[in-house]
C-alpha cells in the first residue's frame, strides 16, 4: 500500500487496470490481479440433478 507498482519488464509504473489483468501502458506486459477470485469473464458451471427438457418437448430426446 502506498508504493508504486513498477513493471517487471520496463520499470515504469503506468498501468491499465481491468477486472482480471493489469497491463503496462508502455510495454504492454500483462499481469494477473492478485484478488480477482473468478470475477468477470470466467466460466461458471452449475450442477443439478434435475434433467432439463427443451421448450415445446414433452417426451424423451432421440437422435
Amino acid at each position: 500500500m502506498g508504493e508504486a507498482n513498477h513493471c517487471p519488464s520496463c520499470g515504469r509504473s503506468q498501468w491499465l487496470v481491468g477486472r482480471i489483468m493489469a497491463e503496462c501502458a508502455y510495454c504492454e506486459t500483462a499481469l494477473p490481479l492478485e484478488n480477482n477470485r473468478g470475477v468477470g469473464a470466467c466460466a461458471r458451471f452449475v450442477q443439478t440433478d434435475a434433467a432439463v427438457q427443451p421448450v415445446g418437448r414433452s417426451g424423451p430426446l432421440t437422435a
Side-chain angles (χ1 to χ4, degrees), residues 1 4 6 9-10 12 14 16 18 20 22 24-26 28 34 36 39 43-47 51 53 56-57:
M1 289 294 275
H6 296 283
S9 295
C10 69
R12 295 184 179 179
Q14 295 291 321
L16 303 171
I20 299 174
C24 177
Y26 293 99
E28 299 179 355
E34 187 173 303
N36 65 7
V39 177
R44 294 187 180 116
F45 299 95
V46 177
Q47 187 174 18
Q53 291 290 327
R57 291 270 191 148

